[in-house]
Amino acid sequence: MAATIPHPHRVCPDTGFKIDLNAEKLIKWNAVTGVVVFLIGGLFGLGVALTRMPSVHLLDAELFYLALTAHGADVLVIFIIFFEMAILYFASTVLLQCRLPTPWLGWVAYALMVLGAAMANYTVLIGEASVMFTSYVPMKAHPLFYLGLILFAVGALLVCIHFFATLIVAKRERTYQGSIPLVTFGAMVAAIIAVYTIASGAIILVPTLLWSIGYINYIDPLMYKVVWWGLGHSSQQINVAAHISVWYAIAAILFGAKPLSEKVSRTAFLMYILFLQIASAHHLLVEPGISSEFKIWNTSYAMYLAVLGSMIHGLTVPGAIEAAQRKRGFNKGLFEWLRKAPWGNPVFSGMFLSLVGFGFLGGISGVTMGVEQINLIIHNTIYVPGHFHATVALGTTLAFMALSYWLVPTLWQKELFAPGLAKLQPYLFFGGMSGVALFQMGAGTLGVPRRHWDMTFADAAANTGITYKFQASASMLMDLNGLAALIGSIGALIWVLNMVGTLLLSPKKGTRPAPAAAPTGAGTIAQTGSHGTLGDVPGTFVIVMIFFACFALYYYVNWKYLGEIWLLK
């Protein structure tokens, strides 16, 4: 066994893990910064929702597009990537029991990310970058907006490089046996996708920066869209790999669960690297300069290989929990293992609700809207952000919230600030964001536009005399969307309160010696191996069959709706 290099560390009394103190600080600072950005982005998002609510219509057009840009940048990119950087440090140093090779690089990366995020937000707040999340040309933002995004991306790239370096050090110093743990493998997949994503961003944002300064005269809008979605869509695929890793981690922490087949789970992660990025094409399905062969192959055929990967995880994560629960004696009928799960623990409830929301709402809607013909029904309607909220809010954000309820008290060794509210929080956030997703998708099916600040088009009527009125049901759905956003915002605020309160106000946990070995459960995160077969998880198999039935029904309904619109005879 090779000798390891001494480094400052502590032994966690909850898990028995040896935690590098330099890595611990970076985990904390990245996570805390992510919480702050989430609060800011969430407030902007609430403003957007209340403006799209016809009975309230809170903001004027200028403030609406400012808020929409800030909400997209802060919640879809900045908050999530800060949290994912914390996960990369955790999955590499803590789970592999490894030192952080170059701590100074981590702080340089963090400084670049904070500086870049601050620059981008500043230009938005002063009204110089209301170009929305996609920042499509020929709309032009202040050069500092593009420079801020570039600096933020460079910082994230440095963290990914640091992550890969830590894996090499852990291998050389033999801090683990066999293959890297599945959670670390999933984080590695997220880091690989992040490198692709950042490269796509550099290819398009650097020329756009030069264009905004005046060094380049023209950027082709179609070329911009094609390359930019390699950044815009793939950044969400980082989220998918990261939050599924979190699902596996929480299953291990709470139940000592291992995947039904670790080889199959790793193969599913590998499919993300090979096939997930091509789904970016479903944002380009109405572009006339792109061939139908390209669109159909990337969205209706090859994308299904990535979808298969997600379906595998959707089987093996709850299956691992069921197998572990049945071994504990919860084996009566199909669902005693699920009924007797710790639903009052926000770590579990947040994770399982994330899995359900991501699969049933985000997954089904994403695959359906990725079909070229069906996409024509809902392209550029508010259905699209409805899908986003199902994947990013219900899938990624709720999973990160769930993990934080374990990670923050463990790293800071503090009691949770408001455990009673924490029990309620995942249900509020899930209920609110599920409502947002469903109501927006319903309104989008009725034709409500995606980005227009006023669905009544009152300003257009004043200038042209042309009026357009949606069905009363569309206005009702948008009002319900605003109410759902309020409920989800209360859940989000409770989470922020718990995180900030735990850090600043909660007492330290009682002093106790660290265990000689990691306890069953938490220590399982760092282990490899499989746990059960399909025959051991009948309840999960039934849930998967219900999912397929919902998928087939929704798919059929959309094709039928398309046929009615086209009036084919």
Side-chain angles (χ1 to χ4, degrees):
M1 182 119 176
T4 58
I5 300 173
H7 60 281
H9 67 274
R10 70 176 179 88
V11 178
C12 175
D14 290 323
T15 64
F17 287 141
K18 183 171 66 175
I19 302 176
D20 181 286
L21 296 183
N22 292 311
E24 183 180 41
K25 291 176 183 177
L26 285 165
I27 294 171
K28 289 179 176 180
W29 278 96
N30 277 278
V32 168
T33 307
V35 172
V36 172
V37 174
F38 175 80
L39 176 61
I40 296 170
L43 291 174
F44 281 118
L46 183 59
V48 170
L50 294 179
T51 303
R52 294 306 308 265
M53 194 174 179
S55 61
V56 176
H57 206 56
L58 180 67
L59 304 176
D60 63 23
E62 184 175 348
L63 285 177
F64 172 78
Y65 289 111
L66 185 153
L68 186 59
T69 302
H71 176 63
D74 284 337
V75 176
L76 279 173
V77 178
I78 297 173
F79 145 68
I80 283 180
I81 290 182
F82 267 119
F83 222 97
E84 286 162 352
M85 299 302 100
I87 290 174
L88 290 185
Y89 286 120
F90 173 78
S92 57
T93 61
V94 177
L95 296 190
L96 299 184
Q97 301 287 273
C98 181
R99 64 186 176 88
L100 194 64
T102 49
W104 63 266
L105 182 61
W107 292 111
V108 169
Y110 174 77
L112 286 172
M113 291 175 68
V114 170
L115 177 61
M119 289 170 62
N121 272 277
Y122 171 74
T123 54
V124 173
L125 291 175
I126 64 173
E128 295 291 332
S130 295
V131 291
M132 297 172 284
F133 173 62
T134 50
S135 57
Y136 285 152
V137 298
M139 292 190 297
K140 184 182 293 186
H142 191 282
L144 287 181
F145 176 76
Y146 304 111
L147 181 60
L149 294 179
I150 291 168
L151 290 177
F152 182 83
V154 169
L157 178 61
L158 290 178
V159 177
C160 293
I161 293 171
H162 209 181
F163 171 80
F164 295 131
T166 306
L167 297 186
I168 294 171
V169 170
K171 186 69 174 178
R172 288 180 176 175
E173 297 182 358
R174 300 180 186 177
T175 62
Y176 65 95
Q177 302 295 321
S179 303
I180 61 174
L182 181 61
V183 174
T184 304
F185 185 85
M188 181 183 70
V189 169
I192 292 171
I193 296 173
V195 172
Y196 168 87
T197 302
I198 294 167
S200 299
I203 291 170
I204 197 60
L205 287 180
V206 171
T208 307
L209 169 64
L210 297 177
W211 169 72
S212 69
I213 295 172
Y215 285 113
I216 293 177
N217 292 326
Y218 176 75
I219 292 181
D220 180 74
L222 179 56
M223 180 275 295
Y224 178 94
K225 286 184 178 181
V226 171
V227 181
W228 189 90
W229 277 112
L231 163 70
H233 187 89
S234 298
S235 62
Q236 310 316 311
Q237 310 317 321
I238 306 171
N239 306 341
V240 173
H243 80 235
I244 289 176
S245 299
V246 167
W247 294 349
Y248 282 111
I250 290 175
I253 291 166
L254 296 181
F255 304 99
K258 297 180 181 179
L260 300 179
S261 170
E262 186 159 320
K263 289 182 179 179
V264 171
S265 294
R266 289 176 188 262
T267 301
F269 273 122
L270 183 62
M271 294 173 79
Y272 284 168
I273 297 175
L274 297 175
F275 304 112
L276 204 55
Q277 314 326 310
I278 59 179
S280 303
H282 79 199
H283 296 277
L284 307 167
L285 292 179
V286 300
E287 299 301 332
I290 300 175
S291 70
S292 292
E293 291 84 359
F294 172 86
K295 297 172 184 178
I296 293 172
W297 170 256
N298 282 290
T299 59
S300 299
Y301 295 107
M303 189 177 75
Y304 293 155
L305 296 173
V307 172
L308 177 60
S310 293
M311 289 181 174
I312 290 171
H313 295 306
L315 168 65
T316 191
V317 173
I321 295 172
E322 179 177 358
Q325 284 281 80
R326 288 185 181 277
K327 288 190 176 182
R328 291 182 176 187
F330 300 115
N331 49 22
K332 294 180 181 177
L334 286 174
F335 296 115
E336 187 189 23
W337 64 275
L338 191 57
R339 288 187 292 103
K340 296 296 180 68
W343 290 100
N345 184 342
V347 180
F348 172 76
S349 61
M351 181 277 289
F352 207 86
L353 292 173
S354 163
L355 190 154
V356 171
F358 180 78
F360 279 83
L361 293 180
I364 291 175
S365 65
V367 175
T368 303
M369 69 187 286
V371 178
E372 184 184 23
Q373 299 89 335
I374 294 176
N375 186 271
L376 296 174
I377 304 175
I378 48 83
H379 181 81
N380 224 20
T381 69
I382 204 163
Y383 185 106
V384 179
H387 163 72
F388 286 167
H389 283 86
T391 54
V392 180
L394 289 179
T396 303
T397 304
L398 190 52
F400 288 175
M401 288 175 172
L403 180 66
S404 69
Y405 282 118
W406 175 79
L407 191 63
V408 170
T410 298
L411 285 182
W412 272 266
Q413 282 299 291
K414 286 193 168 188
E415 302 292 344
L416 192 62
F417 177 66
L421 287 176
K423 292 180 180 180
L424 180 63
Q425 185 270 327
Y427 298 99
L428 281 173
F429 189 77
F430 174 82
M433 290 300 103
S434 294
V436 167
L438 288 169
F439 296 138
Q440 286 188 355
M441 287 191 283
T445 303
L446 295 176
V448 175
R450 174 180 176 183
R451 291 184 167 108
H452 203 284
W453 76 289
D454 181 10
M455 64 179 285
T456 67
F457 296 102
D459 54 345
N463 293 321
T464 66
I466 299 173
T467 59
Y468 182 84
K469 188 174 183 180
F470 284 98
Q471 299 176 30
S473 55
S475 296
M476 181 189 69
L477 287 170
M478 292 307 295
D479 275 338
L480 290 172
N481 169 70
L483 293 174
L486 280 170
I487 295 171
S489 296
I490 293 170
L493 189 61
I494 291 173
W495 176 69
V496 173
L497 176 68
N498 248 308
M499 295 300 103
V500 174
T502 301
L503 297 177
L504 301 181
L505 302 174
S506 289
K508 286 279 188 180
K509 290 183 178 180
T511 303
R512 59 195 185 283
T520 301
T524 311
I525 317 174
Q527 298 175 7
T528 58
S530 301
H531 192 169
T533 64
L534 280 178
D536 300 324
V537 290
T540 298
F541 188 76
V542 169
I543 293 173
V544 170
M545 291 300 102
I546 293 172
F547 170 84
F548 279 131
C550 294
F551 195 166
L553 177 61
Y554 187 73
Y555 202 69
Y556 165 77
V557 166
N558 275 271
W559 275 106
K560 186 175 185 299
Y561 183 43
L562 179 65
E564 292 174 353
I565 291 175
W566 279 359
L567 299 176
L568 298 178
K569 296 181 180 179

